[in-house]
Amino acid sequence: MRVLAIRGANLASLAGEFEVRLDADPLASAGLFAITGPTGAGKSTLLDALCVALYDKTPRLCARGGALIGHEGEPEEARISATDVRALLSRGAGAGYAEVDVIGKDGRALRARWDVRRARERATGRLQPQTMAIRDLATDKVEAGPKSEILATIESRVGLSFEQFRRSVLLPQGDFAAFLR
């Protein structure tokens, strides 16, 4: 698998649309590069976007439980766990997305997209279930459907489960010592 681009909008600290092209210079010819910046600049959010677009999960939000979050005065049943991936939606945003272009193990390019929105796309609306879709970039054919089917197709095309991807592609903060061992 090779990542070509990471795109998104309104995810965590990255308000508005963003795009990182790994298949275009200067990154395409860099070989090895680092994602650096001050706290809150969006470094982890780029990796979150990569993960949720492909797997609807991210390592920093995989823990069980977590405090309930939501708007002031909102009923408890309308709140979500702080570990719910929909919590990636930027505060004050009505909708957001993560999109990743990759070359799969079959050598074909695909675009995986993860969307999250609030009711009527209003910042005060209730969070709706996230949706996922895949686009074959050669044929421009879009595959949408139940999330479980989309996730199975992505895993098959990429050739890695989430755990394999996490261990071989991502190095979460604080896990460098484990990587060296």
Side-chain angles (χ1 to χ4, degrees), residues 15-52:
E17 292 196 315
F18 61 89
E19 177 180 46
V20 177
R21 297 290 309 258
L22 302 172
D23 61 342
D25 281 331
L27 295 178
S29 60
L32 182 65
F33 61 90
I35 301 171
T36 65
T39 301
K43 303 175 299 291
S44 294
T45 303
L46 283 176
L47 300 176
D48 289 340
L50 174 64
C51 289
V52 296

Side-chain angles (χ1 to χ4, degrees), residues 61-96:
L61 296 177
C62 278
R64 295 276 180 212
L68 292 179
I69 58 174
H71 296 290
E72 187 176 327
E74 190 173 44
E76 194 168 303
E77 62 273 5
R79 296 176 182 227
I80 63 167
S81 165
T83 59
D84 187 319
V85 290
R86 296 174 299 166
L88 287 173
L89 183 62
S90 296
R91 184 173 297 181

Side-chain angles (χ1 to χ4, degrees), residues 51-140:
C51 289
V52 296
L54 292 172
Y55 297 103
D56 191 38
K57 295 181 198 176
T58 184
R60 72 174 166 162
L61 296 177
C62 278
R64 295 276 180 212
L68 292 179
I69 58 174
H71 296 290
E72 187 176 327
E74 190 173 44
E76 194 168 303
E77 62 273 5
R79 296 176 182 227
I80 63 167
S81 165
T83 59
D84 187 319
V85 290
R86 296 174 299 166
L88 287 173
L89 183 62
S90 296
R91 184 173 297 181
Y97 72 91
E99 192 173 79
V100 176
D101 294 351
V102 298
I103 303 281
K105 70 177 187 177
D106 58 1
R108 295 174 44 199
L110 71 106
R111 177 171 294 153
R113 185 173 170 111
W114 177 88
D115 285 282
V116 62
R117 68 179 188 83
R118 292 186 173 277
R120 293 176 287 290
E121 295 193 9
R122 293 186 181 157
T124 57
R126 186 176 285 194
L127 274 169
Q128 303 299 301
Q130 64 272 35
T131 59
M132 297 185 75
I134 307 168
R135 178 182 302 268
D136 186 303
L137 294 178
T139 64
D140 206 34

